[in-house]
Structure formats: structure tokens, C-alpha cells
Amino acid sequence: MLAISLLPLLSLLSLGGLAHALPTTLQKRNNWPPEGSCVVDLQIEQCDDFKCEKEGYHRIDTFLTQREHADSWNYLFYKTEDAISERCITKIKVVDEGGSKPDGDGWDGINPTGGPQIYVQRDPAQQAKGKVVDLVVLRPGRWANSTEDFTREPINLGLGLDAGEVVFEDWREWDAVSSGWVWLEYTVGGSRDPITQVQVVACPTGSDATVCGSDLLGQGFKRRDTNLNGPTANGSHVFLFTSTQPIYEGDVSCVGGLKVVEEARKGQRGVIPVNLNEGTNGTALYLSVVRSSGKVPGSCLTSVIPLDTSRYFSQAHYTPVLLEDGSGTPANLNDGIPSANPIYLYTSTEEDFRAIHKKNTEIKDQLWFNSTGGFRIALYSDLHHSSYAPRCRDVPESIKDTCSDDFSFTFMGTTLDITQPDLVVIDGDLFAENGRASDGVTYPLLTDAAIAKAIHPILQRGLPFAVTWGNHDAEGSLLREDLQRTMDIQPGFVGSRGLNHLDGIGNDKLDIYADAINQPGSAKKHSLWFFDSRSYTYLAENGTASGNYGTVEQSQVDWYAANADSSVNALAFFHIPLGQISDKVGINTTAITGVHGEGVCPQGNGCDDKVNLETPYVPLFDAFLKDGDVRATFSGHDHANDYVIDAQGIKMTYDGSAGYTAYSAGDPNYNREMRVIDITGWGSTASSYKIIDDILQGTVHRNESEPIVTLY
Ligand SMILES: *[C@@H]1O[C@H](CO)[C@@H](O)[C@H](O)[C@H]1NC(C)=O
Ligand SMILES: *[C@@H]1O[C@H](CO)[C@@H](O)[C@H](O)[C@H]1NC(C)=O
Ligand SMILES: *[C@@H]1O[C@H](CO)[C@@H](O)[C@H](O)[C@H]1NC(C)=O
Ligand SMILES: *[C@@H]1O[C@H](CO)[C@@H](O)[C@H](O)[C@H]1NC(C)=O
Ligand SMILES: *[C@@H]1O[C@H](CO)[C@@H](O)[C@H](O)[C@H]1NC(C)=O
Ligand SMILES: *[C@@H]1O[C@H](CO)[C@@H](O)[C@H](O)[C@H]1NC(C)=O
Ligand SMILES: *[C@@H]1O[C@H](CO)[C@@H](O)[C@H](O)[C@H]1NC(C)=O
């Protein structure tokens, strides 16, 4: 298969001013509330081909229109600055072709070339409060609605049905290829506004769920994209809406809390008169809204999320909405409907987010070697969780009927307890839509609930963790940007989004210190790199999809090269392996240990051990050789491969898959597995081995048939 990777964006920002070896802009980007990064300009450019660049601007890799020929690619470019100034955009509006300028002062149009018009506003009052646009995304797909934090402009920037056959419409993050539907969305930095109103709307069975409650959207409400009746309840579509408002000195009341009450309370003050189980034979439940004056910090809700899962998860720093029966029980909104997933509501406040951010910053500064110079990483990959209760894949006949994603939790929990790691890494594909229950129901791809499952055993144990994103993670309801935002507010998460001029989301570097960072003499002893290998390499020469896997791009490699410090050893994590991991490439590779159970599906290629390393050329491996700090790499992606190979001195390592709902080699005796990485001697040596879930024996242990591999 021929594939051409997108040309890298130029490195536009200088990387100077390192604090703990992280560029300062990277640290700012991860602040809560997000601040310091502002979008100062947007431009739409018609490019000659899909590779075009615009100096000083970042390109969003989604076409605004899907055209047949490569000579008319329209891209949205944006330019950011670190400091908040009068140049910062505070609001964006999209107006249909031929429509008039938005009401109010100071709107500037950005695209004179036809099609829907984009206007931007720079309001000094908002700039003064730090409430500036800090992120712009294009969200492809006809069917989903925006998530919390993102403001969606409701004019389609795509061609709609005129786009002709819409390829990949179900694949949310086909970066470079838009469907006929593309929505501009943006986020605003600074504190979140308090929720001042909550509404519930029920639309009859058989009606179009995607437009349920649309009239509220025009009144400033946002819809949560989870049908509170779930997909299997066969009842009405029930959706939750919230609206927010800035609070000025004590004159606005906000929503201080929510409770779930039974039928008897219907009609009472504060109770929304819509049955959350409308149209089903489940228990009639109603949402009761508790008002607050908003004068005390933390007394207003700023976040309400419904999670449609197959079980209840405690969400650290999120308060579950309780049943108002005094029992303290989190309310299952699908009570009495056995065919539906339980749905739980969680709320949080701005104070909760601040607390999480403060704690995570502290944890990040506490990554140091233990008293004997050891640091242990527990590595999991390819969990492939989903929101519903899916069946397991490729498991022995004897457990086929009992196996569920519970098996993945148990394995993860057991191995975390055995290994007591200093850091947990999930190396991509936390989510995947496969492994559906065979009940003929089409499930919505509710990524946030799947992500909650993937990190649940880690949150339960209060461990620090980092993730890389895989090719499947953005195929559900969340884009990479949403995924990252969701992760940023999880207790213990020590990753970050990465610099905004880099390709991919979550490019990050963590340093491990000799001792507590503020101890005199404590020095950086080891580094961990995280790269986003993205999803797919979308475009062949003529702009058609190539179907090959994603790559780490030149911009990421430049960032790596500028920050690599060969005086310490480092490990690198990215979901899709580099082609050099194949034993058929023949550039001084020496197979060390493990199973090669399927073809290698590396960056920029399809699945074939005979990897094409030239087209596209992925510069990451050569950068590792040149800059010399990365001694071992870790990737998932090919679940049936779990070997380590020595490629010109770099140990290239497959993680193996830990997910029971992920495919495996198909061998009924195949066991799910995870990796332990022990960095020892204060970073001078490291080794790795696998722990397998021996389900037939009911034991969890190291695979004794393999030696512990010395990484360096
Ligand atoms: C949901 O999104 C679709 C487009 O993806 C849009 O047509 C519909 O109006 C939205 N509905 C709601 C209630 O947000
Ligand atoms: C909903 O419909 C599905 C398929 O039509 C059926 O299997 C299921 O039992 C129904 N659930 C309820 C609660 O009636
Ligand atoms: C609702 O209907 C389903 C299937 O028809 C049944 O299994 C369930 O027990 C019923 N629930 C109640 C609360 O009656
Ligand atoms: C330090 O870490 C290493 C590697 O994880 C471990 O083997 C050792 O027991 C730890 N030592 C102490 C004192 O915790
Ligand atoms: C586009 O390029 C691919 C790969 O070179 C080729 O297989 C395909 O036929 C081309 N399609 C068109 C429409 O030219
Ligand atoms: C392979 O190893 C040999 C011997 O160490 C060395 O001379 C040669 O340059 C290596 N080839 C490559 C492609 O690295
Ligand atoms: C254990 O390792 C051996 C040697 O690599 C391999 O053949 C075997 O499949 C592994 N066992 C499991 C259950 O993964």
C-alpha cells in the first residue's frame, strides 16, 4: 500500500526556558484552570494539496470540505500566543453563507472566500478575566454533539449530503478527511462558569434522538450526549441539558447539587417534572435541583457528567448523585430496567478541579527513585473497553459464557497490587468499539464511560499514571482533544497535552529524580518519553485514504531532539510500533524473547512483517539513534506480539494486551498479560518481564518460560 505522510508542521516556537526539562509552554498548557495560551487568529486557506502549511500557524488536520481532487483542500489554521493580550480571541461565531454579521460590536470576519463565514470577537472585558479562546477543534461526524467545555457553533462547515458518498463517517478521528459534517468548536480558558440551570427533556420512542431537545440549544443550553434511558431500555429518549452563567458579586443563584427522587416528590419545588425512565417499566425517577447562592467558593456545580456503564464507578473528586432516601446510595438512573446499563450522574465544582490539579502537580514532582535506586513501572496496553457490558474475545471455551470486562479489572487490580508500581502507564487503545454483546443492539460509542473503566483500578489505588493514545481511542464520542481534557482532571494523572504546535496530543516527557526534587543535590536521573503515534495515515498521493497506520511526525521528532539529554537514559512509549521492530527488516535486529504471533502493523504501514521503512519515512528511530537517550521503546497495537527485539542497540518491546474484550492470537490458551519495567541503579540499568493472567489455572504470575530481559 502506498502512503504519503502529511508533511510536518514547522517548529514554530522556540523551546527555551526549561523547568525540569519541560518547555514552559507545555507546563502552562496543563494548568488548571487552563490559562496562558490564547488563540489570536484564525484563517481558512485553500491549499493546492493536503500538505500545505501556513507560516506561524497551526493547521487543524480536518478538511472543511471533502473534495474529489487534491487541488482544493480547505484547512482551518490558527495562531496562538502564550501571553494574554488584546489580540486574544474571546468568542467565535459561524454564520451561514449569505447570513449577516453577528449582533454586537467588534466582530471580524475571517474568510472572504465563500461558504459559511467565521467571525471572531476580542472582548477586553473577557480578556481581562483570562477568558480567552485557548483551543479550536473541528469535530467531524453527523451524529454527535459537543462535550462539556466545548462550545459548538451549530453551522455545518462541510458539504453535507453534497459531499457525495461519505467515507468513514463513523470514524470520528479520521484526522485529515472530514465527512460532509464538520463543526467548529472551541474552549475558553480561565475558571469554568457555574451551572445555573438544569433541564431534562424526554422525546418519544421512535423519534430522532439526535435532535431531541434542539430548541433548548438556541437558549444557551448544552446537551450531554448520553441518552439517560440508555440504548437498551426501549423507552423515550431522555437527555440532560445544562446552562452556565458567569457569577457577578452575589447576584446570581447557581445549581449547588442534584438528587434523584421518587414519584412522590414529583411536583415539589426544585423537582424537574420529567421521568428519567420515561416510556419504560423502570422505577419512575426525577431529578431534584438544589439551589445555592453561589457566594461560597465551591458551592456551585461546574460539571455534570452522566456515565452509561455496565457498572458503578467511584469517580475520585466527583460526587455521585445520590438517591434521596438517606441511604447514601448512588442513584442508578436505569433502576428497574435489567436490559439497560446502569447510568450514574457525577458532579463536581471548580474547587474540586483546582484540588485535583494541585495534587497532580505535586505527584508529578514526586517521581523519584526509591532508597535502593529502583523505580517500577506497570505497563498495560490495548484494554479495549466500551461503555456497555461486552463479551470477551478469543478466550477458552470454558469461560466464554462467564467472561466479561470484569476479568480485565481483576487482572489489572491484582497485578497493581502485586507489583506496587511507582507509575502506571497505559500504552493506548483504552477504548475500542469491538467485542459487542451479540444482542442486535447498536450501541453508541460512549468513550468517556470506557475511559472510566480503563483507569478505574488505578484511581481505586491512588496511583500516578500516564497514557498514550492509540488508533482506536478517538473512534468513539470523544476526539483526542476531549480525551486529553478528560484525562487532565483525573486524580493521579501526570501526563499532559503537550505543545500545541506538535502533531498529535499527549506528547510529553517525565523526569525521574534521584530523590525528592526539593532535596539539595537531587538530580534528574532518568526520563520517560510519550509520543502520540496518532491513528491512521490518511492520504495517498491523490488524497484518497491509504488505510495505513499513523506515525509520529517530524514536528514531534524535532521537539524530542531539542529536549533529549543523552546524559541520562530514557524509555519511550507510543502505541503503534516503529517498523524497526520487525525481525524482517534486517538492520541488525536480534530477536530476544517473546511471541511473534501476528504480522507487524507499524507506523505508516499496513500489517506485514516486511515493513516499508522508506515511504513514509518515520524519522523517530534515527532520532533515537542520534540523540542517544532512548534505550528501549514500548508499544502495543499488535496484541498477539509480545516480543523484545534489539534493533541497533535499542530494545524495541511489545507490551502485549491486557484486555479481555480485545482480540488476541486466537489461541484458546493465550493469556492476557502486562509488563513490569524495573529501572534500577538510579537509572543506569533496567529490565522487563511479563505477568500473565493464567485464567485456566486461576493464577497470576510471571511467565517463567521467558527470561527477565535486560533492557540496558
Ligand atoms: C446533535 O448533533 C447533530 C449533528 O451532529 C445535530 O444535527 C443535532 O441538532 C444535535 N442535536 C442536539 C440536541 O444537540
Ligand atoms: C428492548 O428491545 C430489545 C430488542 O428489541 C429486547 O431484546 C429487549 O428485551 C427490550 N427491553 C425491554 C426492557 O423491553
Ligand atoms: C420490566 O420489564 C422487563 C422485561 O420485560 C422485566 O424483566 C422487568 O422485571 C420489568 N421491570 C419491572 C420493574 O417491572
Ligand atoms: C526499589 O525499587 C525496586 C524496583 O522496583 C525494588 O525491587 C526494590 O524492592 C525497591 N526498594 C525499596 C526499598 O522499596
Ligand atoms: C489514488 O492513488 C491510489 C494509490 O496510488 C490508487 O490506488 C488509486 O487508484 C488512485 N485513485 C484515483 C481516484 O486516482
Ligand atoms: C550492523 O552491525 C555491524 C557490526 O556491528 C555494523 O558494521 C553495521 O554498520 C550495522 N548496520 C547498520 C545498518 O546499522
Ligand atoms: C510464555 O513464554 C513462552 C516463551 O516465549 C511462550 O511460548 C508462551 O506462549 C508464553 N505463555 C503465555 C501464556 O503467554
Side-chain angles (χ1 to χ4, degrees), residues 381-384 393 408 411 657-663 672-673:
S381 194
D382 295 272
L383 291 158
H384 283 219
R393 300 181 70 181
S408 310
F411 177 54
S657 162
Y660 276 89
T661 47
Y663 81 85
R672 265 58 180 185
E673 57 195 354

Side-chain angles (χ1 to χ4, degrees), residues 345-379:
L345 279 182
Y346 300 89
T347 63
S348 63
T349 69
E350 184 69 10
E351 300 302 303
D352 296 332
F353 287 132
R354 277 181 207 284
I356 293 172
H357 181 259
K358 185 165 175 286
K359 190 82 199 303
N360 284 357
T361 308
E362 287 165 17
I363 293 171
K364 200 165 169 157
D365 285 347
Q366 285 164 9
L367 297 177
W368 62 65
F369 285 97
N370 69 17
S371 58
T372 54
F375 188 90
R376 176 169 283 177
I377 298 170
L379 175 62

Side-chain angles (χ1 to χ4, degrees), residues 136-246:
V136 180
V137 300
L138 292 174
R139 193 179 295 273
R142 192 180 342 195
W143 43 269
N145 300 287
S146 83
T147 47
E148 195 166 72
D149 265 358
F150 287 80
T151 300
R152 172 185 288 205
E153 281 303 291
I155 303 287
N156 180 17
L157 293 171
L159 294 179
L161 289 172
D162 292 343
E165 190 189 340
V166 177
V167 211
F168 311 125
E169 214 220 311
D170 292 341
W171 298 76
R172 296 300 305 280
E173 201 195 52
W174 203 260
D175 287 22
V177 181
S178 81
S179 70
W181 285 265
V182 193
W183 312 94
L184 185 146
E185 291 180 8
Y186 62 95
T187 61
V188 170
S191 309
R192 287 187 182 196
D193 287 334
I195 293 172
T196 47
Q197 292 188 71
V198 175
Q199 279 303 334
V200 177
V201 174
C203 304
T205 319
S207 63
D208 182 358
T210 62
V211 296
C212 180
S214 298
D215 46 339
L216 278 181
L217 299 180
Q219 299 165 39
F221 280 87
K222 285 190 196 173
R223 188 176 89 159
R224 295 293 178 281
D225 205 26
T226 298
N227 181 349
L228 299 185
N229 257 339
T232 51
N234 303 344
S236 307
H237 308 298
V238 180
F239 284 98
L240 180 76
F241 292 78
T242 58
S243 75
T244 57
Q245 209 176 306

Side-chain angles (χ1 to χ4, degrees), residues 428-621:
D429 284 1
L430 292 73
F431 164 83
E433 92 323 328
N434 53 28
R436 292 184 176 195
S438 52
D439 57 7
V441 177
T442 302
Y443 291 88
L445 309 175
L446 301 171
T447 325
D448 49 355
I451 296 291
K453 285 186 178 180
I455 61 175
H456 176 65
I458 305 173
L459 296 197
Q460 268 185 325
R461 288 164 180 78
L463 295 167
F465 69 103
V467 304
T468 65
W469 301 118
N471 52 303
H472 289 300
D473 286 313
E475 289 174 354
S477 56
L478 303 184
L479 302 176
R480 266 176 162 65
E481 296 280 13
D482 308 288
L483 287 163
Q484 189 66 43
R485 287 214 160 211
T486 304
M487 222 29 109
D488 281 346
I489 53 173
Q490 301 298 332
F493 182 66
V494 293
S496 83
R497 181 194 181 278
L499 297 168
N500 59 11
H501 69 279
L502 304 183
D503 291 280
I505 308 292
N507 300 298
D508 195 21
K509 182 186 183 219
L510 290 175
D511 293 324
I512 309 170
Y513 280 72
D515 195 351
I517 287 170
N518 46 14
Q519 287 299 314
S522 182
K524 182 181 72 172
K525 288 289 189 185
H526 198 281
S527 298
L528 306 173
W529 291 94
F530 301 88
F531 297 95
D532 186 2
S533 51
R534 307 159 86 230
S535 298
Y536 303 94
T537 295
Y538 308 95
L539 297 166
E541 196 109 39
N542 50 21
T544 56
S546 76
N548 289 347
Y549 287 107
T551 60
V552 171
E553 299 283 330
Q554 186 72 48
S555 64
Q556 296 160 278
V557 174
D558 291 347
W559 164 74
Y560 161 73
N563 290 277
D565 172 0
S566 57
S567 72
V568 298
N569 291 323
L571 305 175
F573 299 86
F574 40 90
H575 178 73
I576 306 175
L578 286 165
Q580 285 81 357
I581 203 169
S582 170
D583 54 1
K584 298 275 166 36
V585 168
I587 40 156
N588 288 358
T589 50
T590 318
I592 294 181
T593 189
V595 177
H596 190 154
E598 67 173 314
V600 170
C601 312
Q603 296 185 22
N605 282 248
C607 296
D608 189 344
D609 290 348
K610 294 195 196 72
V611 176
N612 181 348
L613 291 179
E614 302 307 319
T615 318
Y617 169 67
V618 181
L620 189 61
F621 186 78

Side-chain angles (χ1 to χ4, degrees), residues 44-59:
I44 290 176
E45 290 276 310
Q46 188 154 336
C47 301
D48 290 341
D49 67 16
F50 60 85
K51 297 178 286 191
C52 68
E53 295 174 13
K54 183 174 170 62
E55 202 177 339
Y57 285 74
H58 319 309
R59 184 184 71 206

